Amino acid sequence: MIEAGARRREIDEVASELFHANGYAATSVRDIAKALDIQGASLYAHVASKEDVLFSIVNRAATDFEAAATAAEAERTSGDPVERLAALVEAHVDVVTSDPERASVFVTEWRHLSADRRAAVADRRDAYERRFRATIEEGMSVGAFRQTDPAIAATFILTALNGIAGWYHPDGRLSADRIADHYVDLALRALSEDHR
Amino acid sequence: MIEAGARRREIDEVASELFHANGYAATSVRDIAKALDIQGASLYAHVASKEDVLFSIVNRAATDFEAAATAAEAERTSGDPVERLAALVEAHVDVVTSDPERASVFVTEWRHLSADRRAAVADRRDAYERRFRATIEEGMSVGAFRQTDPAIAATFILTALNGIAGWYHPDGRLSADRIADHYVDLALRALSEDHR
DNA sequence: CCTACCGATCGGTAGG
DNA sequence: CCTACCGATCGGTAGG
């Protein structure tokens, strides 16, 4: 038998593409249904509301980012804060490039969630950003990174990484791996001791 | 007498705030009118369409970024590509922080423009990004920056800069000037020769 | 800048 | 998953 959640996942996938391309507010329930070749009202056999679809996409993305960061932090080399930051950056880029639509929706559309859900997502985002900041702070304290504002540095790096979701295409000039390499290098150098 | 365009500018200002806070598609003409204490239909005494308001905001932002970059490139010190990139980054941050709502709408809402207008804005954005890329390339060719992919480096830096529009508040922890200093430093180091 | 109004579309429900 | 339908709201126009 066909797995129960298959249609539900199809809805999220199709909706991710549409929300990414046109934005949540400019995408109608009927747009999503049309992409699935069903009637608009039929979508409500699978979901309770349009916002639930957005929430599902955003939650999945948040979970993916968290899991990837946890795996990165568990790597052998990650006792060294420099290597750990490299692993965190690489993991983030991997999540973005493996599903840029979902990542893009996560980054840009979460303001359309209800206040409660928005707050819950904000908490997870803050916690995630804190992992980057903590690693930057540790690198600074052991002298591997220069002294600078860790919050600004973390925000600088994370917004640059998230920007990839806005332009990445699997068939683009650079592979996901090469993009990750470049972004790791740029991020680490931004925190390096000397320049000029 | 009150200047003719005053009301028109007020519309753009109020609309910038609403588009920034809720997005273009989720902001109704009546929302804009309400913020101006007039009736929804009365807005059409001043503008031909909702999209024209967005286009006006986006154009103004594009012009501001271009003018600031031109001024930065005209600085005495800008014969040196490192100093020129520093000036470009600082100018960009200045434009963003002097009107974060407008900058944010420029960065995130231009996809809601008609195809023609979107293409015109895309051209201006591309040309603007090329100025950053050209300066990075020049810095690389004179050995002031390390050899790396200039397009990726320019995108990395510009998306980080644009991200400021999403979180900057005039009464925040750091002043606009200090944010600019940090971002100049982070951007230049990202392109620096050595690390580790 | 207002009142009055337009057709179209929105998210969602009822009942099968 | 469908047909039929709901009230609300949308961007925009007419005519002052």
Side-chain angles (χ1 to χ4, degrees), chain B residues 134-146:
Chain B
T135 297
I136 291 169
E137 280 165 350
E138 191 183 328
M140 283 168 45
S141 73
V142 301
F145 296 142
R146 67 186 170 103

Side-chain angles (χ1 to χ4, degrees), chain B residues 7 39 42 45-46:
Chain B
R7 193 54 157 170
Q39 293 300 310
S42 302
H46 304 283

Side-chain angles (χ1 to χ4, degrees), chain B residues 13-35:
Chain B
E13 195 187 321
V14 154
S16 284
E17 283 168 31
L18 291 168
F19 293 166
H20 167 66
N22 311 314
Y24 173 78
T27 302
S28 72
V29 166
R30 281 156 184 83
D31 290 334
I32 301 170
K34 195 171 191 178

Side-chain angles (χ1 to χ4, degrees), chain A residues 7 38-39 41-42 45-46:
Chain A
R7 193 56 156 174
I38 60 176
Q39 294 300 311
S42 302
H46 304 283

Side-chain angles (χ1 to χ4, degrees), chain A residues 60-81:
Chain A
R60 167 74 188 274
T63 301
D64 286 354
F65 280 116
E66 287 161 359
T70 298
E73 289 176 338
E75 282 178 18
R76 270 199 247 64
T77 55
S78 67
D80 175 15

Side-chain angles (χ1 to χ4, degrees), chain A residues 13 24 40 53 65 72 77 115 122 124 129 137 146 149 161 164 169 178 181 190:
Chain A
E13 194 187 322
Y24 173 78
V53 176
F65 280 116
T77 55
R124 292 175 76 177
E129 186 159 349
E137 280 165 351
R146 67 188 170 98
D149 189 304
L161 300 189
I164 297 172
H169 289 287
R178 280 188 55 88
D181 288 345

Side-chain angles (χ1 to χ4, degrees), chain B residues 6-180:
Chain B
R7 193 54 157 170
R8 189 54 248 271
R9 275 195 302 278
E10 229 180 323
I11 291 170
D12 283 1
E13 195 187 321
V14 154
S16 284
E17 283 168 31
L18 291 168
F19 293 166
H20 167 66
N22 311 314
Y24 173 78
T27 302
S28 72
V29 166
R30 281 156 184 83
D31 290 334
I32 301 170
K34 195 171 191 178
L36 295 163
D37 269 315
I38 61 176
Q39 293 300 310
S42 302
L43 204 77
Y44 290 90
H46 304 283
V47 301
S49 71
K50 182 187 169 191
E51 197 210 308
D52 280 2
V53 177
L54 175 61
F55 190 50
S56 166
I57 294 165
V58 166
N59 263 328
R60 169 72 188 276
T63 301
D64 286 355
F65 280 115
E66 286 160 0
T70 299
E73 289 176 338
E75 282 177 19
R76 270 198 245 68
T77 53
S78 67
D80 174 15
V82 177
E83 291 300 327
R84 190 159 75 249
L85 185 61
L88 282 170
V89 169
E90 192 190 343
H92 192 95
V93 176
D94 284 351
V95 172
V96 170
T97 52
S98 70
D99 197 332
E101 291 85 8
R102 181 159 58 210
S104 163
V105 170
F106 174 63
V107 169
T108 65
E109 304 298 325
W110 64 293
R111 62 175 163 184
H112 293 109
L113 292 170
S114 67
D116 285 2
R117 287 170 161 181
R118 216 182 319 123
V121 172
D123 285 347
R124 292 175 77 176
R125 290 175 66 96
D126 288 349
Y128 182 78
E129 187 160 346
R130 254 180 265 125
R131 295 164 83 157
F132 279 68
R133 199 158 66 238
T135 297
I136 291 169
E137 280 165 350
E138 191 183 328
M140 283 168 45
S141 73
V142 301
F145 296 142
R146 67 186 170 103
Q147 296 294 324
T148 187
D149 189 304
I152 288 285
T155 298
F156 179 92
I157 291 169
L158 271 170
T159 52
L161 300 188
N162 286 334
I164 298 172
W167 54 262
Y168 174 75
H169 289 286
D171 54 344
R173 180 172 63 92
L174 295 176
S175 70
D177 280 355
R178 281 188 52 88
I179 292 167

